[in-house]
Amino acid sequence: MPAALPPLEAQADHLVALGLVPDGGTPAAPDGTPDGLDAAGLRSAARRLADAAPPGTLLVVHPRRLPPSALAPHLRREVRTRAGVVEREGFVVEDMTDVDAFGPVDDLEVPDADVYLVHAPERGDEMANASPQEAAARIAERGRSPLTLAEGAQWVLQDPEVLEPGRCFMTIGSRRRRPDGAYDARTPALWISGGTGRDGAGRRGATKIGWCWWRNRHTWLGVASTAARHV
């Protein structure tokens, strides 16, 4: 099972150490605006939020500041090969160039804050072999909320062992709108690449951001959820 998440301040330090949040200087948001989140702001938010955060809480930077495309290369895993143990970067599948356009579904409320908390994230192993459509109803019945792609990716970033062979997860809290206003049939997921097809053998064992069809079932993909979000 996944290890417990580190304290919030340690999670903030990890984001800064990876260079995902600038440490000093003039920060900039992904859209180029000069009012992005910097290391001091992130650490201050982590300290403030820690007062009300139970163990196992995930610190999340809003995707407007840290989109999934920026996270993907930092989702690193150690892989054993014939040449020894190597570290492989995460990646987004080639046919998901629109990965950052997958936003929260209509009935999901994500805090309008640069930094917020996700309480008690679960991988949703018990919903393996349920389609996203089926899992959405089961999650709601439990009084929980499905994780977004940004939340799921940041969870894996803080604890790479959340992904295990045969035990990975979908993030059905994120979907993409088509021009006609309907949802795209894809739903995002994170799993471990087998190094086949377009992934390439060099990516075997790497963390992969991809997608599944809304009505399809996969025996090796749970559906991740959270007990609550908090600012």
Side-chain angles (χ1 to χ4, degrees):
M1 287 297 294
L5 282 161
L8 297 186
E9 291 184 58
Q11 293 181 47
D13 288 341
H14 185 49
L15 293 173
V16 175
L18 291 174
L20 287 166
V21 178
D23 192 1
T26 303
D31 61 5
T33 57
D35 59 343
L37 181 71
D38 66 0
L42 176 63
R43 288 178 170 130
S44 175
R47 287 192 297 270
R48 173 180 57 81
L49 292 167
D51 292 338
T57 298
L58 175 67
L59 185 75
V60 175
V61 175
H62 198 285
R64 66 176 171 237
R65 301 299 186 208
L66 199 52
S69 62
L71 290 166
H74 297 277
L75 303 178
R76 300 185 177 103
R77 289 184 60 84
E78 289 190 347
V79 179
R80 187 173 298 279
T81 70
R82 292 180 181 178
V85 176
V86 299
E87 187 178 69
R88 293 200 165 140
E89 291 186 356
F91 66 100
V92 180
V93 294
E94 292 183 9
D95 57 355
M96 203 176 181
T97 56
D98 54 357
V99 62
D100 293 338
F102 283 75
V105 295
D106 286 345
D107 57 351
L108 190 152
E109 293 186 8
V110 171
D112 185 20
D114 284 348
V115 184
Y116 65 94
L117 301 182
V118 163
H119 292 289
E122 292 180 0
R123 197 166 55 188
D125 294 352
E126 73 281 3
M127 281 179 279
N129 209 33
S131 71
Q133 184 179 41
E134 294 163 340
R138 291 170 60 180
I139 290 171
E141 288 171 0
R142 292 181 59 200
R144 293 177 63 86
S145 174
L147 284 193
T148 66
L149 175 56
E151 293 164 352
Q154 291 186 54
W155 188 20
V156 175
L157 184 75
Q158 296 290 353
D159 180 11
E161 298 309 311
V162 165
L163 295 184
E164 299 178 285
R167 291 187 179 274
C168 301
F169 61 86
M170 292 183 272
T171 53
I172 68 173
S174 292
R175 297 189 70 184
R176 185 185 185 281
R177 286 284 187 186
R178 300 192 317 233
D180 64 4
Y183 283 128
D184 189 305
R186 296 171 295 167
T187 188
L190 293 103
W191 69 94
I192 300 170
S193 173
T196 59
R198 287 184 289 181
D199 290 1
R203 284 174 165 167
R204 182 177 179 275
T207 299
K208 174 177 179 176
I209 294 179
W211 56 270
C212 304
W213 297 118
W214 179 248
R215 291 186 174 88
N216 281 11
R217 301 186 181 100
H218 298 276
T219 58
W220 44 276
L221 284 175
V223 183
S225 67
T226 175
R229 296 172 178 86
H230 174 71
V231 177

